[in-house]
């Protein structure tokens, strides 16, 4: 049974458009170098990992065993405490961040969440959902938490547990908050009851692979952390992963007879395909291949930054970042290249899949754009 001709045409033109737009995709941190053709037969199956990834369910058409391997890989990468970690493959970084805050609230119902003003927009909503108190901390001009401001706020609320929401790569400038600094401010304020969640959605995977500083994993003081799977690893379906210390998480989750497992996750049904994409990428590339992609991205970002600066565009990067930041170009250029823009700044994220040909075309466009805007400014002032 096929589609009607008109619908068939509609579909073909959509596929053409999406494929075309994928060639002009520099502004969002999404890898595009994956090939999951080998997994296509699985699209015929309604896989569902409903419930806890470590507890078998009566819904046997699932990919839990592969999900567990993926979780183990990341628990190892992020130095999770042996035999005291738990996690699951989420629908993305936002869900993992919500989960981290949820666990923190179960531990410290009257805790205050401290997060920087450069934090991902979804976090404010999650804090509202959880009905938590929160304080926004200032950042420096490159997007890193202002620790003096954090210190001051911690001192003012010393009688409350602190829930720190740390950014390991902010959305706009890929700034990283430093757990060492944060822990020292907590100590100075003599706050004993605290919890640190790391939002490593953007930069967590390659930062851990390349052991970039500052460290942010469990060995550096994280109590939970979340990553996105469709960013650096790459997946046709958004996904992510959350890891928490198991003894904390044990406050969550009821046994549910209907699914024959425990309800420890945020959503009920969980995507059974996305863990397999992650599993396949990890196995196919291996740690060596993943590291190589990360190194290539860093080299590409350094080269792009230099070339922009040579053109007279004041581009910059945070240390070891694959995000290159520069003043916003014209609206048409931002639309063409799908450049995220905020407060007068745009960025290109050099994720795997961005290539020289695209960057050359982009640089040509932005040079022309800068020339035109100089002419406009020139003619206005003369
Ligand atoms: C992308 C991102 C998120 C959200 O992750 P999703 O996978 O889109 O849900 C959260 N925080 C940061 C810093 C991000 O870059």
């Amino acid at each position: 049974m096929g589609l009607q001709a008109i619908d068939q045409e509609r579909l073909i033109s959509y596929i053409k458009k999406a494929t075309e737009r994928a060639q002009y995709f520099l502004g969002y941190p999404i890898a595009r170098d994956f090939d999951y053709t080998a997994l296509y037969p699985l699209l015929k199956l309604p896989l569902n990992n409903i419930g806890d990834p470590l507890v078998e369910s009566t819904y046997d058409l699932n990919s839990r065993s592969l999900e567990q391997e993926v979780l183990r890989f990341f628990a190892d990468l992020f130095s999770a405490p042996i035999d005291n970690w738990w996690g699951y493959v989420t629908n993305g970084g936002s869900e993992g961040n919500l989960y981290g805050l949820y666990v923190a609230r179960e531990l410290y119902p009257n805790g205050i969440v401290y997060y920087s003003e450069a934090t991902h927009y979804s976090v404010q909503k999650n804090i509202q959902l959880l009905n938590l108190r929160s304080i926004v901390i200032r950042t420096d001009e490159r997007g890193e938490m202002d620790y003096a401001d954090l210190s001051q706020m911690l001192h003012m609320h010393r009688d409350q547990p602190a829930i720190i929401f740390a950014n390991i790569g902010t959305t706009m400038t890929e700034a990283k908050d430093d757990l060492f600094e944060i822990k020292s401010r907590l100590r100075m304020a003599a706050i004993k009851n605290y919890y640190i969640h790391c939002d490593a959605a953007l930069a967590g995977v390659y930062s851990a692979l390349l052991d970039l500083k500052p460290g942010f994993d469990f060995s550096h003081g994280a109590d939970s952390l979340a990553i996105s799977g469709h960013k650096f690893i790459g997946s046709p379906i958004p996904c992510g992963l959350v890891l928490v210390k198991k003894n904390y998480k044990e406050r969550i989750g009821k046994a549910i007879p209907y699914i024959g497992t425990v309800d420890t996750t945020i959503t009920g049904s969980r995507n059974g395909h996305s863990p397999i994409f992650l599993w396949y990428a990890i196995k196919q590339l291996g740690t060596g291949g993943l590291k190589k992609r990360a190194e290539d991205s860093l080299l590409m970002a350094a080269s792009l930054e230099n070339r922009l600066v040579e053109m007279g565009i004041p581009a910059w990067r945070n240390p070891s970042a694959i995000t290159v930041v520069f003043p916003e170009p014209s609206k048409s250029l931002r639309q063409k290249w799908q450049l995220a823009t905020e407060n007068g700044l745009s960025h290109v994220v050099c994720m795997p899949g961005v290539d020289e040909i695209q960057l050359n075309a982009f640089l040509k466009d932005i040079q022309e754009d800068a020339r035109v805007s100089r002419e406009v400014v020139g003619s206005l002032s003369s």
Side-chain angles (χ1 to χ4, degrees), residues 40-61:
Y40 289 179
L42 293 169
L43 291 179
K44 294 184 177 169
L45 301 174
L47 303 178
N48 193 329
N49 288 6
I50 193 161
D52 193 297
L54 303 182
V55 182
E56 279 313 311
S57 155
T58 25
Y59 194 116
D60 203 26
L61 192 48

Side-chain angles (χ1 to χ4, degrees), residues 4-23:
Q4 288 187 10
I6 183 171
D7 299 324
Q8 182 67 22
E9 228 169 85
R10 172 83 185 85
L11 180 63
I12 288 171
S13 83
Y14 170 72
I15 292 173
K16 189 159 162 264
K17 173 162 182 270
T19 311
E20 201 262 331
R21 291 309 283 148
Q23 297 309 310

Side-chain angles (χ1 to χ4, degrees), residues 69-145:
E69 284 186 44
V70 171
L71 293 170
R72 235 172 280 131
F73 174 87
F74 285 105
D76 190 43
L77 181 65
F78 296 123
S79 306
I82 314 260
D83 297 330
N84 189 27
W85 62 267
W86 181 87
Y88 72 97
V89 173
T90 60
N91 288 302
S94 312
E95 184 185 342
N97 288 335
L98 174 61
Y99 199 82
L101 289 172
Y102 176 37
V103 171
R105 192 199 65 181
E106 295 308 287
L107 278 174
Y108 301 120
N110 59 345
I112 299 175
V113 184
Y114 298 83
Y115 66 98
S116 88
E117 55 184 329
T119 297
H120 192 259
Y121 62 86
S122 61
V123 172
Q124 215 174 353
K125 171 187 61 196
N126 290 345
I127 286 170
Q128 268 171 0
L129 283 171
L130 292 166
N131 200 22
L132 278 160
R133 283 176 66 199
S134 65
I135 294 175
V136 180
I137 307 298
R138 278 196 288 270
T139 63
D140 65 16
E141 67 283 0
R142 292 193 157 215
E144 181 175 348
M145 183 180 277

Side-chain angles (χ1 to χ4, degrees), residues 17 28 34 42 44 52 77 100 105 129 142 168 177 201-202 206 209 230 240 249 263 284 288 294 296 308 315 367 379:
K17 173 162 182 270
Y28 291 91
F34 54 81
L42 293 169
K44 294 184 177 169
D52 193 297
L77 181 65
R105 192 199 65 181
L129 283 171
R142 292 193 157 215
I168 310 306
D177 299 336
L202 173 65
Y206 51 85
L209 282 164
H230 57 289
K249 164 263 169 191
D263 184 23
Q284 191 195 30
D296 289 349
L308 285 166
Q367 190 163 30
S379 70

Side-chain angles (χ1 to χ4, degrees), residues 321-333:
I322 65 170
T323 305
V324 181
V325 186
F326 45 88
E328 63 171 48
S330 70
K331 188 159 177 233
S332 65
L333 192 133

